[in-house]
Structure formats: structure tokens, C-alpha cells
Amino acid sequence: MKAIRKSVVAAGGIVLALSLAACGGGGEAAGSGGGKSDGGADKALKAADPVATLKKAAAKGAQQNTFRTKGTRKNQDGEYASEGAFQVKPPASEMKDMGPKTAESPDGVSHMITINDKMYFNGEKVPGKKWWTFGVEGADKSKDPSSELFVRLTSALATSKDVKNTGVETAGGRRAARFQGTVVASELAAYKGDAMQEKDRDFTVKQWKQEGVEKAVLTVWVDEDGVVARTEESGKGSEGEYRRTDEYRDWGADLGIKPPPAAETATEKEVLEAEMKKQK
């Protein structure tokens, strides 16, 4: 059983990397401003107040029930590209991570689907089966989970003492105001304002503490509809420097997230039996 759980932890690293932590949603679909420069729109974006704009964008983002992401990240393990589709309620996601080849991922690609409390991993744990599944046991649904990553980063940036509107760029195919600032973990831990929810503040501070991050440079692009188009986090932790960038689209879309075919998926019991045979 330990061998299976070790595999789950390794494959589940993609969950942590992509920060699958959702809160309730279901609000109206977000807008999608154009990618071409428009004098009037750009002028308004350049004049946008950093804190007020970021607070509104975080609140609007928290209302969204579905969206897609595309991003890159670089850390001590190498460089990765990722794609994700996320649904808050009922909880579902599909994530692909493309990076260095490992024992758990010989081709460098990790593909995972989650449907409620079921996780599906792409990989042949049982001969002839392309996927294997595992249940997430002991989930405490009574606790309010943290918001999505882009909501946490946007609201955290709104707490920064040096956040600035640095101009207008095209991000995620849309013209957007670029906001940037440094967030210090100790200052965020002591923050009591209304720019960030307590649960998100505590989640972020705890995560940074675990990773040895004392401060991070956050950059968030917000389009003319007040929607987050891109986020970036960079800093230095206990294991070295890191940088992560994600773009967001398809707000409110039907993502079509489905479990892999049952005939191609090894059950938890089959995986356990296969692992026990390997240990003999």
C-alpha cells in the first residue's frame, strides 16, 4: 500500500504545482477584452488604481465556476509547461504537466483528471491499462477550502505596500493593465485588511513558509473587463529560485471534463495487487 501512496504523492505533485484549491463559484461568466490596442481602453487601463482594481478582480474571479489555464514554471527540478481545466462545483479538473523525464513520468508528461474524490493518473501501473485510479480518502468537506491560485495571488498583491500600475500590455490575447509589487510573508501574515480573505492569507503564508519563501514578486494583468488575464509569481525559497506564469481563459465554459474509459483504467484494487506482486 505504501508503494501506491508514494506513487500518488509523486503523481499528485502536479496538484500542488498547479495549486488545485477551489472555493464556491457559479457567478456570471467573465468578459474577454480584445488583444488590439485601443486608445480609450488603454488610457483607462493606465489610469486604473492598483488596489481597487485588484480587489475587484479577485472578487470577480472567485465567482467563476470554470476556466482554463496555460502556463510555465521554472524551479530547482527544471522547466515545465502546463495546461489545466478547472471546475469548482461539482469539483473536477484535468491537468497536464510537461517537463523533465522521471521514473514516474518516463516521457516527461503527467496527465491527471479529478472528479469529486476520484483521481485518475495516466500511466501503466497494470499491464494493458493506460490509466490508474485512486480515491482521496478522509477529505473534510466541512472546511472551507482556499480560493483558486489566481484569486490568492491577485488579492495578495493588493496587500503589497509597493504595488504599482506599470502600464498596459497584451496578456492572454487581451489588453490588460500590469500590476506589480513585492509581498513579504511576515507582513502578509499580519495583514488584517479587506483585500484578502483570512483563509487565503493563511493558506498562502503556510505554503510560503513550507517552501522557505520570505517574499515574492507578484505580477497580475487585469483586462478592461476587470478580469485576471495572467499572473506571475517569482522568488527564492529554501530550494532555490522559482518563477511561475499562468494565463486564464474560457471563463464559465463547459469544459467537458470526464473520467477516462473504464476499460482502460486500472482500479485501486488492481493497482494494489500489481504492486504487491512487484514486491515479492
Side-chain angles (χ1 to χ4, degrees):
M1 194 64 173
K2 286 184 178 180
I4 296 179
R5 293 194 178 279
K6 184 176 180 181
S7 295
V8 170
V9 170
I14 187 175
V15 184
L16 299 178
L18 293 173
S19 298
L20 180 59
C23 73
E28 63 182 37
S32 55
K36 295 183 179 180
S37 176
D38 177 274
D42 276 14
K43 185 176 181 180
L45 289 169
K46 288 178 182 177
D49 176 76
V51 175
T53 303
L54 290 167
K55 287 170 66 174
K56 289 180 181 178
K60 191 167 188 175
Q63 295 177 346
Q64 304 309 314
N65 193 52
T66 61
F67 61 94
R68 295 186 191 277
T69 66
K70 186 175 183 180
T72 59
R73 73 183 188 279
K74 183 178 181 179
N75 57 27
Q76 72 280 357
D77 296 324
E79 297 185 21
Y80 298 81
S82 61
E83 296 179 358
F86 300 88
Q87 177 174 290
V88 180
K89 291 184 178 180
S93 67
E94 181 168 5
M95 297 171 281
K96 287 184 180 180
D97 221 25
M98 292 74 75
K101 297 178 181 180
T102 66
E104 287 294 334
S105 180
D107 60 356
V109 178
S110 297
H111 188 181
M112 185 181 71
I113 297 172
T114 62
I115 307 289
N116 292 315
D117 293 336
K118 277 278 191 177
M119 304 173 74
Y120 302 86
F121 303 95
N122 183 239
E124 196 171 279
K125 288 287 184 183
V126 175
K129 300 291 181 75
K130 298 178 180 179
W131 293 81
W132 58 286
T133 186
F134 202 86
V136 182
E137 301 173 4
D140 187 353
K141 294 183 173 62
S142 67
K143 292 184 179 179
D144 191 15
S146 69
S147 302
E148 296 289 349
L149 173 65
F150 75 96
V151 174
R152 297 199 305 271
L153 294 181
T154 301
S155 55
L157 180 55
T159 74
S160 171
K161 295 179 179 180
D162 67 354
V163 61
K164 293 181 176 64
N165 183 334
T166 62
V168 182
E169 298 176 348
T170 298
R174 293 116 69 188
R175 296 296 286 174
R178 180 181 185 273
F179 302 100
Q180 187 175 66
T182 300
V183 179
V184 180
S186 59
E187 293 177 352
L188 183 61
Y191 180 77
K192 301 296 183 182
D194 64 352
M196 190 174 199
Q197 294 188 54
E198 183 178 348
K199 60 172 185 168
D200 292 339
R201 179 203 65 197
D202 293 346
F203 183 98
T204 302
V205 170
K206 181 179 179 180
Q207 186 177 52
W208 283 353
K209 184 176 181 180
Q210 291 174 339
E211 297 171 355
V213 177
E214 296 181 358
K215 61 182 179 180
V217 176
L218 303 184
T219 310
V220 176
W221 289 257
V222 179
D223 70 18
E224 60 186 291
D225 294 318
V227 179
V228 176
R230 180 191 295 164
T231 61
E232 182 175 277
E233 176 187 350
S234 62
K236 185 176 182 179
S238 56
E239 297 186 1
E241 296 183 351
Y242 70 94
R243 179 184 299 274
R244 173 186 175 141
T245 303
D246 292 283
E247 293 186 348
Y248 308 88
R249 60 185 174 86
D250 292 349
W251 305 98
D254 181 355
L255 304 178
I257 302 173
K258 297 178 180 179
E264 299 178 4
T265 304
T267 65
E268 196 168 323
K269 181 180 178 181
E270 289 174 327
V271 175
L272 176 59
E273 292 173 348
E275 291 292 341
M276 291 178 68
K277 286 181 180 179
K278 290 180 183 179
Q279 295 175 23
K280 289 182 178 180

